[in-house]
């Protein structure tokens, strides 16, 4: 299972990078979204994957029965997803406004502030 | 602040009051930390390493103090430059969130929490940089946003890998665990992810291109606070990572950091020499000065780290000040393109003086603060006989002076070009005095640091000694008692 997800993370990063290197700003946004999902999955997997073992303490004990899934990466991923969602929304709004202002979605039209 | 958005007076007063209060409290923090070495708070009374720790050592405390100082000074300046439209779009609340994020990043002792503070800071800065909605602002903002998002994603991936291997996110606990694991392969991989991520934020050599492409687009108030603080958070994070978490593998990374530092200095200053707009020149100088600080990290001797901390303080003050002066030039002449302005020495001799002080401090002319910072750094380099780095540092110093002289000669000495009609900005937002006072205060503090820099430098030395002894930090965090309030 970990191996499969590791491959999936790799694929997400690769496609995301490919999209980032395209010249359209919409594909730029898609690339950022894909890479951020890849990173979320990476963090999620790094805690180890265990199916059906929640970290719940039984009513008569003080610690959950081992082995149990580590809840911290899930909490971290949740935070990261929320942050990523907000930033993506902002990025989409920014891209729309920038498209209206520049009048082109080709990256080459965005060179006025460089040199 | 959000509630009172109909009353612009409330926004103005509240913004300046909050920023000033932060500054006063941060001075108290410096005092306490200097007495007690470490101040540790376990948020929510969860014991370390399970909860989130907020840690202030001397390095954090001085960074918080100087950034809050900038926060207060630039807030006053904003009264003079930021127009009502921006104020109605919540300029001051966003500005305070930015300062909040920066200070949080300086104080946190938890890796994931550092990521969250970065995001707090970035979201505020994203809105601030693209707020005006002009073509240049949106374009520069887009570059800034995309590259900083990528850097955050890499940070997240690095933090995830570290968590997967050490099972902890507390920086002190990570350092403890890593010093016990001899297997360096995956430590190096995650440390490289963090190096790229922090390097992107700090604007070091191969990653700095977003910086000069975006910093000159928003109003000077915004570029000044960005120039003063945001890249320095990246530098701070690099220092924290390599003096605390990745100490065991530092010898392998050291040559790489040294090369990056030298290339950052050199490319930054050449970029600055090739430009002809005040704010673009200054943006490139940020890159070149970041190189000096990273150089201190690469040397990793007590004197070099002390010099780097001193340099950070000096640079934040001086660079913010220079961007503020460029805003005043825009206000007086309607532009800060050096081909279009001139004759300021005659028409505004006091402004020339206010530019002269930070500019030549940046160039390293004694007795201003930049001279002592550069002097200490070069001396540290000579002590460990790193000849190439020292040569580069001196050469970059000369070139910095050259481009400061260029601005001086073009904007201040030269006559106003006859064919260009330079008019002061119509409908200025606030009284000009709001802009003059903070600039003058910052210039005076530059002179004070230059003439009476001894207390600050000995403080930097004590902070550097703390950085070089991560064991103290680790035990301070992990053994701090949780105080349960009744």
């Amino acid at each position: 299972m970990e191996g499969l997800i590791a491959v999936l993370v790799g694929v997400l990063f690769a496609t995301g990078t490919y999209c980032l290197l395209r010249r359209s700003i919409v594909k730029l946004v898609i690339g950022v979204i894909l890479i951020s999902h890849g990173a979320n999955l990476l963090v999620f997997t790094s805690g180890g994957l265990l199916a059906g073992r929640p970290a719940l303490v039984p009513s008569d004990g003080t610690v959950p029965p081992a082995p149990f899934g580590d809840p911290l990466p899930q909490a971290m991923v949740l935070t990261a997803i929320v942050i990523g969602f907000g930033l993506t929304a902002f990025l989409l709004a920014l891209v729309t406004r920038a498209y209206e202002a520049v009048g082109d979605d080709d990256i080459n039209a965005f060179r006025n502030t460089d040199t | 602040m959000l509630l009172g958005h109909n009353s612009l007076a409330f926004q103005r007063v509240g913004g300046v009051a909050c920023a000033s209060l932060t500054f006063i409290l941060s001075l108290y923090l410096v005092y306490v930390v200097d007495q007690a070495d470490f101040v540790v708070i376990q948020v929510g009374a969860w014991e370390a390493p399970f909860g989130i720790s907020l840690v202030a050592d001397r390095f954090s405390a001085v960074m918080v103090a100087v950034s809050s100082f900038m926060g207060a000074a630039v807030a006053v300046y904003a009264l003079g430059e930021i127009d009502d439209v921006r104020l109605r779009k919540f300029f001051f609340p966003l500005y305070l969130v930015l300062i909040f994020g920066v200070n949080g990043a300086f104080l946190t002792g938890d890796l994931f929490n550092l990521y969250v503070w970065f995001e707090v800071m970035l979201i505020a800065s994203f809105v601030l940089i693209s707020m005006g909605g002009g073509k240049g602002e949106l374009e520069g903002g887009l570059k800034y946003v995309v590259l900083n998002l990528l850097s955050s994603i890499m940070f997240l991936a690095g933090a995830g890998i570290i968590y997967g291997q050490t099972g902890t996110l507390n920086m002190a606990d990570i350092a403890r665990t890593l010093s016990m694991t001899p297997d360096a392969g995956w430590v190096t991989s995650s440390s490289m992810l963090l190096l790229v991520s922090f390097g992107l934020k700090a604007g070091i050599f191969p990653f700095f291109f977003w910086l000069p492409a975006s910093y000159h687009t928003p109003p000077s108030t915004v570029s000044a606070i960005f120039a003063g603080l945001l890249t320095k958070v990246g530098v701070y994070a690099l220092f924290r990572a390599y003096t605390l978490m990745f100490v065991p593998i530092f010898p392998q990374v050291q040559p790489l950091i040294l090369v990056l530092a030298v290339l950052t200095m050199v490319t930054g200053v050449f970029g600055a020499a090739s430009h002809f707009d005040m704010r673009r020149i200054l943006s490139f100088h940020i890159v070149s000065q970041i190189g000096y600080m990273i150089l201190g990290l690469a040397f990793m001797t007590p004197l070099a780290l002390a010099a780097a901390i001193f340099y950070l303080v000096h640079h934040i003050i001086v660079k913010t000040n220079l961007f503020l002066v460029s805003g005043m030039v825009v206000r007086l002449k309607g532009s800060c393109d050096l081909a279009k302005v001139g004759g300021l020495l005659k028409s505004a001799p006091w402004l020339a003086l206010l530019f002269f002080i930070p500019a030549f401090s940046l160039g390293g002319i004694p007795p201003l603060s930049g001279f002592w910072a550069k002097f200490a750094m070069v001396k540290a380099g000579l002590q460990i006989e790193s000849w190439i780095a020292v040569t580069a540092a001196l050469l970059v110093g000369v070139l910095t002076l050259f481009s400061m002289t260029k601005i001086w000669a073009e904007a201040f000495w030269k006559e106003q070009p006859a064919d260009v009609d330079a008019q002061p900005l119509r409908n200025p937002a606030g009284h000009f005095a709001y802009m003059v006072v903070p600039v003058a205060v910052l210039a005076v503090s530059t002179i004070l640091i230059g003439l009476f820099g001894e207390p600050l430098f000995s403080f930097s030395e004590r902070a550097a000694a703390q950085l070089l002894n991560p064991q103290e930090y680790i035990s301070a965090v992990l053994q701090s008692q949780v105080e349960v309030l009744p």
Side-chain angles (χ1 to χ4, degrees):
Chain A
M1 191 64 185
E2 267 105 343
L4 201 62
I5 302 234
V7 172
L8 181 59
V9 170
V11 170
L12 280 173
F13 266 88
T15 42
T17 313
Y18 175 74
C19 287
L20 280 182
L21 295 177
R22 300 298 299 271
R23 282 186 14 195
S24 144
I25 49 170
V26 178
K27 293 196 175 101
L28 192 79
V29 180
I30 297 176
V32 170
I33 295 173
L34 287 178
I35 292 189
S36 85
H37 287 334
N40 287 345
L41 263 183
L42 177 80
V43 176
F44 184 64
T45 326
S46 70
L49 296 178
L50 271 175
R53 307 292 306 191
L56 294 178
V57 184
S59 55
D60 53 346
T62 51
V63 286
F68 57 88
D70 187 348
L72 191 60
Q74 298 165 19
M76 275 157 51
V77 168
L78 194 57
T79 317
I81 290 174
V82 173
I83 292 175
F85 173 73
L87 288 180
T88 309
F90 176 76
L91 186 59
L92 279 171
L94 184 64
V95 161
T96 318
R97 289 295 307 276
Y99 173 72
E100 282 167 6
V102 177
D104 200 342
D105 85 328
D106 190 332
I107 296 281
N108 276 356
F110 285 76
R111 286 197 304 204
N112 302 319
T113 66
D114 278 349
T115 47
Chain B
M1 289 295 287
L2 287 173
L3 295 176
H5 67 95
N6 285 325
S7 158
L8 294 184
F10 174 74
Q11 295 271 329
R12 291 198 178 97
V13 173
V16 174
C18 293
S20 317
L21 194 63
T22 315
F23 175 49
I24 294 166
L25 290 177
S26 71
L27 286 181
Y28 178 67
L29 178 73
V30 172
Y31 172 73
V32 172
V33 169
D34 203 29
Q35 301 290 316
D37 287 343
F38 291 98
V39 176
V40 183
I41 297 175
Q42 310 290 0
V43 177
W46 291 88
E47 279 171 44
F50 302 111
I52 292 170
S53 313
L54 294 181
V55 189
D57 64 352
R58 289 198 177 89
F59 183 33
S60 312
V62 75
M63 294 303 288
V64 170
V66 74
S67 60
S68 309
F69 181 28
M70 291 311 109
V74 177
V76 175
Y77 186 90
L79 299 179
E81 197 194 25
I82 298 301
D83 50 34
D84 289 358
V85 179
R86 281 191 172 81
L87 282 183
R88 273 187 223 290
K89 289 183 185 165
F90 303 113
F91 173 82
F92 268 117
L94 283 164
Y95 177 81
L96 292 174
V97 168
L98 181 78
I99 309 281
F100 172 62
V102 169
N103 285 344
F106 287 146
L107 287 177
T108 185
D110 183 281
L111 197 58
F112 192 75
N113 197 229
L114 182 62
Y115 166 76
V116 176
W117 285 122
F118 269 162
E119 296 304 320
V120 168
M121 180 181 101
L122 285 179
I123 291 171
S125 70
F126 289 167
V127 184
L128 283 176
I129 202 170
S130 51
M131 199 178 227
K135 191 176 161 188
E137 281 182 316
L138 288 171
E139 204 185 309
L142 187 66
K143 291 166 191 166
Y144 175 80
V145 169
V146 169
L147 282 169
N148 277 290
L149 272 181
L150 282 180
S151 133
S152 301
I153 293 169
M154 264 181 265
F155 184 14
L156 184 64
I161 294 175
I162 290 179
Y163 179 76
Q165 299 295 335
T166 60
T168 178
L169 283 168
N170 187 300
M171 289 201 248
D173 204 29
I174 291 173
R176 193 176 58 85
T177 322
L178 288 190
S179 63
M180 291 187 298
T181 24
D183 173 25
W186 59 264
V187 185
T188 317
S189 68
S190 54
S191 89
M192 282 302 113
L193 274 172
L194 293 194
L195 177 70
V196 172
S197 160
F198 297 154
L200 244 168
K201 290 195 200 303
I204 65 175
F205 163 59
F207 316 118
F208 66 78
F209 297 98
W210 58 270
L211 196 155
S214 61
Y215 269 22
H216 61 91
T217 54
S220 294
T221 311
V222 177
S223 9
I225 200 74
F226 281 17
L229 302 184
L230 295 193
T231 50
K232 308 314 168 295
V233 179
V235 176
Y236 169 84
L238 275 176
F239 270 68
R240 194 51 88 202
Y242 284 96
T243 57
L244 179 65
M245 290 191 288
F246 301 125
V247 174
I249 59 153
F250 186 74
Q252 294 137 22
V253 189
Q254 192 169 19
L256 175 67
I257 298 185
L258 189 62
V259 171
L260 287 181
V262 171
L263 286 176
T264 309
M265 288 194 297
V266 174
T267 45
V269 86
F270 280 149
S274 71
H275 273 288
F276 222 67
D277 177 294
M278 241 175 118
R279 286 205 274 166
R280 289 180 199 232
I281 295 175
L282 294 176
S283 305
F284 266 106
H285 274 298
I286 302 176
V287 176
S288 132
Q289 309 287 314
I290 294 290
Y292 277 99
M293 297 161 204
I294 306 296
L295 197 62
L297 178 65
F299 289 162
M300 200 47 116
T301 61
L303 181 62
L305 282 181
I309 295 169
F310 190 83
Y311 209 114
L312 270 165
V313 174
H314 139 78
H315 174 84
I316 291 177
I317 295 176
V318 165
K319 185 56 81 179
T320 310
N321 201 357
L322 282 172
F323 269 93
L324 295 181
V325 171
S326 78
M328 289 159 73
V329 173
V330 173
R331 167 115 176 212
L332 287 177
K333 292 285 178 184
S335 163
C336 61
D337 186 340
L338 291 181
K340 291 185 190 151
V341 298
L344 279 168
L345 187 60
K346 260 186 211 156
S347 61
W350 47 271
L351 182 63
L353 179 70
L354 287 179
F355 171 77
F356 184 84
I357 295 165
F360 286 83
S361 175
L362 193 74
I365 298 291
L368 298 165
S369 58
F371 170 72
W372 303 110
K374 283 207 169 80
F375 175 73
M377 188 64 79
V378 167
K379 192 176 166 205
L382 290 177
Q383 272 176 359
I384 60 164
E385 306 188 337
S386 180
W387 307 120
I388 298 178
V390 168
T391 316
L394 290 173
L395 185 72
V396 170
V398 172
L399 286 173
T400 309
L401 199 56
F402 159 74
S403 50
M404 287 304 130
T405 321
K406 181 165 86 183
I407 299 181
W408 176 257
E410 293 289 335
F412 293 94
W413 249 354
K414 174 184 81 174
E415 294 291 322
Q416 171 68 38
D419 51 336
V420 182
D421 181 30
Q423 291 297 326
L425 283 189
R426 266 165 272 144
N427 313 321
H431 202 274
F432 200 46
Y434 288 129
M435 299 165 89
V436 178
V437 171
V439 172
V441 168
L442 294 185
V444 168
S445 54
T446 314
I447 300 177
L448 286 182
I449 292 176
L451 292 179
F452 309 103
E454 179 58 28
L456 179 62
F457 198 79
S458 66
F459 186 87
S460 308
E461 278 177 332
R462 292 201 296 280
Q466 268 187 338
L467 285 181
L468 281 170
N469 194 353
Q471 210 55 47
E472 280 180 19
Y473 184 96
I474 295 169
S475 47
V477 173
L478 293 184
Q479 287 163 13
S480 77
Q481 297 296 314
V482 174
E483 288 172 37
V484 180
L485 296 174

